[in-house]
Amino acid sequence: MSPAATWMSPRERLDGILPDIEIAALAPVIQEIEELKESRNAVVLAHNYMTPDIYHGVADMKGDSLALARLAKKTDAEVILMAGVHFMAETAKIVNQRKTVLIPDMDAGCSLADAITGADVRLLRERYPGVPVVTYVNTSAEVKAEADICCTSGNAVQVVESLGTDRVIFLPDQFLGQWVAGQTDIDIILWEGSCMVHERFTGEELRVYRDMHPGIQIIAHPECPSDVLEEADFVGSTAGMIKWVKTEQPRQVVMVTECSMSDNVAAESPETEFTQPCNLCPHMKRITLTGIRDSLRDMKHEVIVDPTVAEQASASVERMLEVRA
Ligand code: 13P
Ligand code: SF4
């Protein structure tokens, strides 16, 4: 558990990140959440796209999808509250099936997870017999159960190369799949899913941006279309992007991803100026501070995965966790 979340007052955690008046309004809710965490023996895992009040105010641990899966697997807490979207909560349940996993809003979905079903995977297997199936973690438990192995944006190339085949089926993000194809000699069979947040960026807008801000560094998530990634100085998972900014300390940067990323990193990187553009993920934004409080108070909404599906999905996730990234 992060020491910052256990002993700092709400004001200390959010000082310099949010205006004083906002901190004063949020402090009682943060206090309630801390008390509920204690009484429920709960831990709050937060994705990097959470708003700063959650990310800096109540998260015990935070990270990209890969880190959240690893953290969920090893936590001692009885209750895992996932401040993220549904597939992340499902993954936490899959890797740690004896825990109670809560999500504040069941409708916090993902356009990628909605792009493919278990039946689609079975049809692909019939079409490409013997070709292994790699599925991005941004999928339902049912799809993970049909796959050979999962991957995240933080380990996709290593996972594809770990299989030792010259061909793989890669699901469901066509842009992440195209990016992986550019990093390896392995033949990648793609599916036409995409992220509703990242597919909206264009290479053209970034070229205009670079002309307007000479010297600006452009860093992008691999769910963006190829012409966007070609314009980028760095491509990586959300955790990879944060690490890059902290290490490189650029004077000016644009993070081509969800808007809260810049807000969260800006608080920890005062030497860097963060500029637009960014897009909001409507699913991630369903998770709010009061929603987290209500979720812990009423023990809702519990994420349940059918035990047979969970066992099969667990094999795909565990295989991924064994791959070194
Ligand atoms: P990361 O695994 O890079 O955090 O990405 C998750 C996600 O949903 C990005 O849109
Ligand atoms: Fe899904 Fe895209 Fe939102 Fe990530 S940003 S949760 S991939 S819709």
Side-chain angles (χ1 to χ4, degrees):
M1 192 174 289
S2 134
T6 51
W7 59 265
M8 286 169 87
S9 70
R11 181 160 296 283
E12 286 170 312
R13 292 175 206 177
L14 296 173
D15 191 33
I17 296 171
L18 295 176
D20 283 356
I21 190 158
E22 216 176 307
I23 300 174
L26 296 173
V29 186
I30 293 175
Q31 196 53 45
E32 268 184 272
I33 291 172
E34 288 310 322
E35 287 162 16
L36 285 162
K37 282 200 273 189
E38 185 93 23
S39 63
R40 300 288 192 199
N41 188 11
V43 70
V44 173
L45 301 192
H47 185 259
N48 292 325
Y49 290 165
M50 290 295 103
T51 46
D53 53 343
I54 296 172
Y55 188 86
H56 294 286
V58 296
D60 296 302
M61 301 179 230
K62 41 207 181 189
D64 62 2
S65 306
L66 182 58
L68 294 179
R70 289 194 196 283
L71 292 165
K73 184 174 155 76
K74 69 175 193 207
T75 183
D76 292 331
E78 276 311 306
V79 176
I80 298 170
L81 182 135
M82 182 57 71
V85 292
H86 189 263
F87 76 80
M88 295 175 178
E90 253 188 1
T91 305
K93 183 72 183 176
I94 288 165
V95 295
N96 211 336
Q97 290 169 42
R98 292 208 308 274
K99 305 292 179 185
T100 301
V101 176
L102 301 176
I103 186 163
D105 190 326
M106 276 291 188
D107 290 331
C110 171
S111 64
L112 279 169
D114 288 344
I116 189 156
T117 65
D120 293 326
V121 183
R122 287 193 290 277
L123 283 174
L124 279 166
R125 282 201 188 276
E126 277 175 30
R127 189 156 166 207
Y128 300 101
V131 181
V133 175
V134 177
T135 182
Y136 196 26
V137 283
N138 297 39
T139 45
S140 65
E142 185 206 8
V143 168
K144 289 183 177 77
E146 295 288 344
D148 293 292
I149 188 166
C150 290
C151 75
T152 71
S153 56
N155 63 10
V157 176
Q158 290 89 341
V159 165
V160 163
E161 294 196 331
S162 75
L163 296 171
T165 54
D166 51 14
R167 221 174 178 206
V168 302
I169 299 169
F170 189 94
L171 312 169
D173 187 357
Q174 56 185 311
F175 297 128
L176 177 62
Q178 284 166 10
W179 182 73
V180 171
Q183 317 282 310
T184 176
D185 292 334
I186 296 165
D187 181 24
I188 310 278
I189 299 165
L190 297 169
W191 185 258
E192 281 195 15
S194 55
C195 161
M196 62 193 286
V197 175
H198 291 93
E199 70 180 351
R200 288 164 51 203
F201 295 109
T202 67
E204 182 53 31
E205 72 179 311
L206 294 181
R207 279 189 288 281
V208 170
Y209 221 71
R210 220 189 259 289
D211 288 347
M212 283 165 59
H213 303 273
I216 196 166
Q217 297 293 298
I218 296 177
I219 64 174
H221 195 276
E223 288 170 11
C224 295
S226 311
D227 64 327
V228 170
L229 301 182
E230 276 160 24
E231 281 301 317
D233 298 295
F234 173 78
V235 175
S237 75
T238 56
M241 293 165 96
I242 292 173
K243 188 169 167 211
W244 189 90
V245 169
K246 288 185 178 167
T247 310
E248 300 296 323
Q249 303 189 354
R251 188 178 51 80
Q252 203 180 24
V253 75
V254 55
M255 285 184 148
V256 187
T257 189
E258 215 274 345
C259 300
S260 292
M261 277 277 289
S262 298
D263 298 339
N264 290 332
V265 192
E268 294 165 349
S269 303
E271 67 292 327
T272 296
E273 184 193 336
F274 292 81
T275 57
Q276 303 292 327
C278 65
N279 291 326
L280 282 168
C281 174
H283 300 291
M284 290 281 181
K285 284 341 22 142
R286 283 183 169 273
I287 309 302
T288 61
L289 207 56
T290 49
I292 292 172
R293 187 265 323 272
D294 296 351
S295 181
L296 286 170
R297 185 191 58 208
D298 304 336
M299 292 299 280
K300 66 177 187 187
H301 305 275
E302 186 174 355
V303 175
I304 309 280
V305 181
D306 175 273
T308 312
V309 174
E311 260 333 294
Q312 286 165 353
S314 158
S316 301
V317 179
E318 293 293 342
R319 215 167 285 141
M320 166 186 87
L321 294 177
E322 280 161 24
V323 174
R324 280 199 162 271

